[in-house]
Amino acid sequence: MLDHLIKGATVVDGTGAPAYTADVGIRDGRIAVIGTVTEPSRTSEDARGLVLAPGFVDPHTHYDAQLFWDPYATPSLNHGVTTVAGGNCGFTLAPLNPERPEDADYTRRMLSRVEGMSLVALEEGAPWNWHSFGDYLDALEGRIAVNAGFMVGHCALRRYVMGPDAVGGQPTREQLDAMLRLFHEAMDAGAWGLSTTQSSTHSDGDGSPVASRHARPAELLALAQAVGEHEGTQIEAIVAGCLDQFSDAEIDLFVEMSAAAGRPLNWNVLTIDAAVPERVPRQLEASERARKSGGRVVALTMPILTPMNMSLGTFCALNLIPGWGPVLALPVPERIEKLRDPAVRAEMLGRAQSKEAGVFRRLADFGRYVIGDTYSAANEGLTGRVVRDIAAERGQEPFACLVEICAADGLRTVLWPMPTDNDPDSWALRAETWRHPDVLLGGSDAGAHLDRMCGAPYTTRFLGDCLRGRRLTTLEAAVKMLTDDPAQLFGLRERGRIAKGFHADLVLFDPERIDAGKATLVHDLPGDSPRLDSRAIGVTAVWVNGVESIREDVVTGAVPGKVLRSGSDTRTVSTR
C-alpha cells in the first residue's frame, strides 16, 4: 500500500523534459510509482490543474543557527525549498575549541556583524553544546524539517587552532597541520567541503577582518587539496571581486583551488546589470580558465530582484560603501551631526559613486529610494513616497533630503532602495546568462541579514515571473534550474528529480497563482528580534522525504528532514 497518492498532477520532473500528466505515489519516503496508479493508498488528493515539481534546492543559505529555533527553515520551506546548503562564506558554528569557551561568544558576535543575525537570537536560540563539527551535525539530526548539508567554515578552523591569533596571524607548520587534521575530521563527519572568504566587506564583531581573510594562497591551496581527498565534496569561496569584477589574482586563486581539489568551486553572487556590460564576461572568465586547468568555477546568481531595506541607524549594505563605515558607526547624535554636514555628505557621495564602490554604486542614487516605516510626527504621510519627489517639493538635493527625514526619526526610518537594474536590457542579459553551463540560480542568503533582506522566496517569485510575467524561460527549464541543476552540482544522491526510487521531496503548486507575497517585518525570533518574512502564494503542499511538511503555507509540525552528509548523501562531482 502507498502512503500517499497525488492524482492527475502536471508533472514537471526537473530534467527539463516536457511536462506530462500522471499520478505519483509515495511509499517509505520515496517515489514509488509514476503513471496511472491503481494501487491503494492510505491518503490521496486530486491534483488536477496543479503542477508537481521536485523540491527546490537552495545552494547558498545561512540557516546554521536558525534551524535550532526554527526547524522549518521558514520562509524557505514555505516557498518549496526542501534542501538547503549552509555553512557558507567561511562562517560556521563549529568546530569550537573546548579549551576556549569564549570562542562561542566571539563566533556569535562575528555572525551578528557579518551576516546580520540577531545576537539575542544567537545567544538564546541555539544550545552551543558542541565542540567538533560532527557534534554540531548530530545536534541537528532528527529535529529539522528540511534536508540540510553544511560546508565547514575556514574562520572556525583558524579560530579553533590559532585562537585570537587567527585574526592577523599566520599559522606555523604545526598549526597548519592541526588545521588540516581538524578539517579532515569535519569531512569524515559529513561536512560538504570548505567555505572561505577573502572579501573586504567581511569583518568580525570587533570590526577586524575575519580570520580567513588573513590566509595566504598556500594555506587555501592546502585546504583545497584536502577537500579532494573526500567523497562528495565541494568548495565555496568569496573574494572582494565577487561584488564587482575579479582581479587576475582572484581568478588565479579560484582556478588553482578548484584544480587542486578536483572539485567544483562556487561563488556568490553574480550581479547582472546591462549598465555594466563588461561585468558578466569578466566574472565568467574564471569559469572558462578553470575548465582549461582541470577545475570548475560556478557563479551563483539570483533570478529576481531581492527586496532589501536600508537604514542610517543600523548596520546594512550602506555601511559597506567605502568610507561610509566610520561615519555610520558613530553614536546616533554624532552621526546625525556628521550627516548634516554638506562637506561630509559630498565626500560620502563621491566615495559611493567611485569605481572602488563596485556593485555598491547602485545604492548611491538616493532620489530613487522609497520611504518605508517612519516614527515621528515630522515624517507623517511620507511612507511609500519617493525621495526625489519629496526633495523637489522641499528644494533640497535628494541625499540631503533623505538625511533630514531620517534625522527626524532618530535614524530609525526604513528606506527601500529601488533597483537600477530592472530594465528590459538587464532582464534579457539575465536570461542569456542563465544558459551558461557554469551559472547556477541561487544566492538567497536565507537565514542571514534577517531584518534587511528577504531572498528566500526567490523560487516562487521566479516561477510566477516565468509563468505570468516576463516569461524569460519555460516552466520546465525554470524548475530544472531550481532542482536538478543544484542537485547535480552538489552531487546529491537521488534528489532533484521526480523519478521512481528518488527521495520524495516534492512541491505541489497552482501555476495560475504561484508567487511570493510582499516582504514584511515580523518579530518572531528569540528575544522578539525582527526579520523580514514573505508569504508563499499558490503553494498547495510541500513534502520532505515523503512527509507533508507544508499545507497551504502553514507548517504541519513534522520534522522529516535529514542532515545530508558528504559521501553517504552526496557523490563526487569531479572536474577531471
Side-chain angles (χ1 to χ4, degrees), residues 551-570:
R551 175 64 65 170
E552 300 295 348
D553 201 32
V554 177
V555 298
T556 64
V559 286
K562 182 178 180 183
V563 175
L564 301 181
R565 304 184 190 233
S566 59
S568 58
D569 296 299
T570 63

Side-chain angles (χ1 to χ4, degrees), residues 23-70:
D23 306 332
V24 175
I26 300 169
R27 182 190 298 118
D28 297 329
R30 301 265 182 168
I31 297 170
V33 60
I34 305 170
T36 301
V37 179
T38 57
E39 185 177 350
S41 60
R42 290 183 177 86
T43 58
S44 65
E45 64 186 288
D46 185 349
R48 284 176 295 181
L50 301 178
V51 171
L52 186 67
F56 308 136
V57 179
D58 189 335
H60 189 105
T61 79
H62 290 277
Y63 278 126
D64 309 51
Q66 183 176 327
L67 285 170
F68 285 102
W69 64 78
D70 174 18

Side-chain angles (χ1 to χ4, degrees), residues 11-297:
V11 176
V12 180
D13 65 9
T15 66
Y20 60 92
T21 301
D23 306 332
V24 175
I26 300 169
R27 182 190 298 118
D28 297 329
R30 301 265 182 168
I31 297 170
V33 60
I34 305 170
T36 301
V37 179
T38 57
E39 185 177 350
S41 60
R42 290 183 177 86
T43 58
S44 65
E45 64 186 288
D46 185 349
R48 284 176 295 181
L50 301 178
V51 171
L52 186 67
F56 308 136
V57 179
D58 189 335
H60 189 105
T61 79
H62 290 277
Y63 278 126
D64 309 51
Q66 183 176 327
L67 285 170
F68 285 102
W69 64 78
D70 174 18
Y72 313 106
T74 61
S76 290
L77 181 62
N78 303 67
H79 293 271
V81 173
T82 57
T83 299
V84 300
N88 287 295
C89 302
F91 309 125
T92 49
L93 280 60
L96 292 172
N97 194 318
E99 297 179 6
R100 287 194 307 274
E102 66 272 17
D103 282 4
D105 179 64
Y106 172 85
T107 300
R108 289 190 290 264
R109 291 188 299 108
M110 177 183 70
L111 290 172
S112 178
R113 169 69 178 264
V114 77
E115 292 296 346
M117 299 178 185
S118 162
L119 183 57
V120 174
L122 289 169
E123 291 171 341
E124 298 182 1
W128 297 93
N129 58 355
W130 52 81
H131 296 299
S132 72
F133 198 82
D135 291 342
Y136 166 76
L137 296 181
D138 291 344
L140 288 170
E141 192 69 78
R143 62 176 312 277
I144 55 177
V146 294
N147 304 308
F150 300 90
M151 314 293 276
V152 60
H154 191 181
C155 290
L157 295 172
R158 263 188 154 239
R159 180 80 185 190
Y160 188 106
V161 172
M162 299 174 65
D165 290 342
V167 174
Q170 295 301 317
T172 63
R173 179 68 251 181
E174 292 75 18
Q175 286 175 323
L176 181 57
D177 287 344
M179 208 183 303
L180 289 168
R181 285 195 300 273
L182 188 64
F183 182 55
H184 283 299
E185 289 174 10
M187 301 291 280
D188 288 339
W192 277 17
L194 173 73
S195 74
T196 187
T197 179
Q198 301 248 309
S199 174
S200 57
T201 64
H202 287 161
S203 299
D204 66 14
D206 301 318
S208 301
V210 296
S212 63
R213 285 178 60 185
H214 303 277
R216 293 172 180 166
E219 178 182 334
L220 290 162
L221 290 174
L223 287 164
Q225 188 170 3
V227 171
E229 297 176 27
H230 296 265
E231 183 182 2
T233 52
Q234 300 273 321
I235 298 174
E236 186 267 346
I238 307 291
V239 294
C242 291
L243 291 173
D244 191 13
Q245 295 180 51
F246 294 136
S247 68
D248 287 335
E250 290 170 334
I251 291 176
D252 289 343
L253 179 63
F254 275 7
V255 170
E256 290 169 12
M257 288 179 68
S258 178
R263 300 287 188 272
L265 178 154
N266 75 78
W267 64 272
N268 181 52
V269 59
L270 174 60
T271 302
I272 301 172
D273 186 345
V276 192
E278 66 273 16
R279 180 182 292 136
V280 169
R282 175 59 178 175
Q283 300 303 74
L284 295 184
E285 187 175 329
S287 300
E288 310 301 336
R289 284 169 54 179
R291 287 190 177 272
K292 293 176 182 176
S293 300
R296 186 183 177 201
V297 172

Side-chain angles (χ1 to χ4, degrees), residues 495-554:
R495 297 188 193 273
R497 297 182 181 181
I498 295 179
K500 188 175 179 179
F502 271 48
H503 297 280
D505 297 338
L506 301 166
V507 184
L508 184 66
F509 64 87
D510 181 351
E512 300 297 323
R513 299 176 55 238
I514 185 76
D515 203 347
K518 180 182 178 182
T520 57
L521 200 65
V522 297
H523 291 259
D524 64 354
L525 301 183
D528 201 34
S529 301
R531 65 167 177 156
L532 286 171
D533 194 12
S534 170
R535 280 198 328 109
I537 299 170
V539 175
T540 301
V542 179
W543 291 265
V544 179
N545 296 314
V547 177
E548 184 179 297
S549 301
I550 293 284
R551 175 64 65 170
E552 300 295 348
D553 201 32
V554 177

